[in-house]
Amino acid sequence: MDIHPSTVNASLVQFDARVLDPQLNLERMRALAVAQAAAGAQLIVFPELSNTGYVEPLEPGAAFSEASGGAHDYALRLYQAAEPEGGPFTEMLCCVAREHGVHVVAGLALRHPVLSGAMYNASILVGPQGVLGVYHKIHRWHLEKLYFIAGDTISVQQTPFGRIGMQVCYDIRFPELTRALMLQGADIVTNVWASFRQQDKPLEDEQIFTHRAYTRAIENGVFFLSCNRAGRQGNCRFMGRSLIVAPDGKVLAESRTEEEEVIQAELDLSAVARYRSFVGLLTDRRPDVYARHGAAPPLGAS
């Protein structure tokens, strides 16, 4: 008999992280997480690199922002702002989760546990019992390659309300990752973003984040939680527009702004089995055929 709760209340916090100011970001994240827990959230999600702000320069050839302190020793300052193993962000998130009985996903810059100067762009999941999982971003966008080691593992974490898989921003463009999470049992996939545009260039497609989240949700029959950043950094604006999509593609909640905002939705976890069994996602897959034509081999094959 299924003993898991059939629903979970999720909040996505479209947060504006201050550049290289982890103390301020920590205090604001704590207050926002506590407020969402008080409002009934059971799963709270924060964007990519919430502790440090996004890496600079934001684009190849662009200038460093004034807030970053410039190019000289920027990598060292980023490393110093990143989270050490068991550091203050981890401790704070675990404390909030324990005191309020919630689960939290947060995008963080994490220091390598052994190699001084090395970092990961990561997503961490914590619950009342502590850290449940850490995902290191596999697909690094543009200049992230200057600062972060690429991850190489994919895993799903069990929670009282279902299995959660994590990814980060650019990962969404690689459908194999979401499929791998689904095949490991994910009911919910979180994607944390720091996606931006140039300040003077309007967004060409207002539905760009909807298209991506909708596609990954219906391809795999998962709840897809897409949490982007807000605010400005240098001459760029982060595009917000966070959203929550059900397994059948229904948009349960969405932001239509680039400003700070929290979106909330109740996820009915029974929708995962309902959608997958009706569509036949698992029974109709033909990994043996795909493998013969250059796609990934069948699950479990060497």
Side-chain angles (χ1 to χ4, degrees):
M1 184 175 70
D2 187 359
I3 60 173
H4 300 307
S6 60
T7 62
V8 58
N9 295 319
S11 290
L12 308 191
V13 183
Q14 196 164 281
F15 174 69
D16 180 6
R18 184 74 63 87
V19 178
L20 300 183
D21 194 344
Q23 185 59 41
L24 176 63
N25 294 330
L26 183 149
E27 292 169 359
R28 294 198 63 227
M29 288 173 69
R30 178 194 287 118
L32 288 162
V34 169
Q36 287 308 301
Q42 299 160 288
L43 174 61
I44 303 166
V45 184
F46 288 93
E48 180 180 16
L49 299 175
S50 286
N51 56 336
T52 61
Y54 194 64
V55 299
E56 300 216 14
L58 275 74
E59 299 177 304
F64 284 76
S65 72
E66 183 177 349
S68 74
H72 182 67
D73 277 346
Y74 169 77
L76 176 61
R77 291 193 298 278
L78 179 65
Y79 178 76
Q80 291 170 336
E83 175 83 346
E85 187 173 24
F89 277 84
T90 305
E91 182 179 345
M92 177 273 290
L93 294 172
C94 288
C95 181
V96 170
R98 183 173 59 252
E99 291 181 359
H100 298 275
V102 298
H103 288 71
V104 183
V105 172
L108 300 175
L110 297 184
R111 297 182 194 175
H112 192 284
V114 176
L115 302 176
S116 181
M119 294 172 282
Y120 292 106
N121 186 345
S123 182
I124 182 172
L125 170 64
V126 305
Q129 63 272 59
V131 177
L132 299 181
V134 178
Y135 166 73
H136 298 145
K137 187 175 184 179
I138 294 173
H139 308 100
R140 298 161 297 165
W141 177 252
H142 283 185
L143 297 181
E144 292 175 23
K145 300 176 182 70
L146 297 176
Y147 306 109
F148 298 121
I149 298 172
D152 61 2
T153 59
I154 302 170
S155 64
V156 168
Q157 284 70 48
Q158 180 69 58
T159 72
F161 44 78
R163 297 179 182 88
I164 295 178
M166 295 181 286
Q167 53 186 239
V168 180
C169 199
Y170 183 47
D171 282 331
I172 200 173
R173 299 201 192 191
F174 300 85
E176 298 90 345
L177 177 53
T178 310
R179 177 53 51 90
L181 291 170
M182 182 271 276
L183 291 174
Q184 289 188 29
D187 306 297
I188 298 168
V189 173
T190 61
N191 187 302
V192 296
W193 299 72
S195 185
F196 57 87
R197 62 175 177 83
Q198 290 186 8
Q199 176 78 12
D200 59 353
K201 291 186 178 179
L203 183 61
E204 293 181 2
D205 182 0
E206 293 280 343
Q207 297 297 313
I208 185 171
F209 298 103
T210 304
H211 301 324
R212 292 173 178 174
Y214 170 90
T215 302
R216 295 294 164 262
I218 66 167
E219 282 175 341
N220 297 283
V222 295
F223 284 95
F224 201 94
L225 280 53
S226 172
C227 183
N228 196 14
R229 253 201 71 177
R232 290 182 57 184
Q233 191 170 327
N235 68 341
C236 291
R237 283 197 65 90
F238 292 90
M239 294 187 285
R241 296 176 178 83
S242 302
L243 72 156
I244 299 173
V245 183
D248 64 358
K250 181 179 179 181
V251 176
L252 302 178
E254 63 180 327
S255 168
R256 298 183 180 180
T257 178
E258 297 179 348
E259 306 302 324
E260 285 197 321
E261 185 177 5
V262 178
I263 63 169
Q264 303 159 324
E266 181 182 75
L267 316 185
D268 178 1
L269 276 300
S270 67
V272 174
R274 183 181 305 112
Y275 175 78
R276 290 179 186 172
S277 60
F278 174 76
V279 174
L281 284 177
L282 297 173
T283 56
D284 294 340
R285 288 184 67 246
R286 290 296 307 275
D288 56 326
V289 175
Y290 315 146
R292 292 203 305 270
H293 294 274
L299 187 67
S302 60

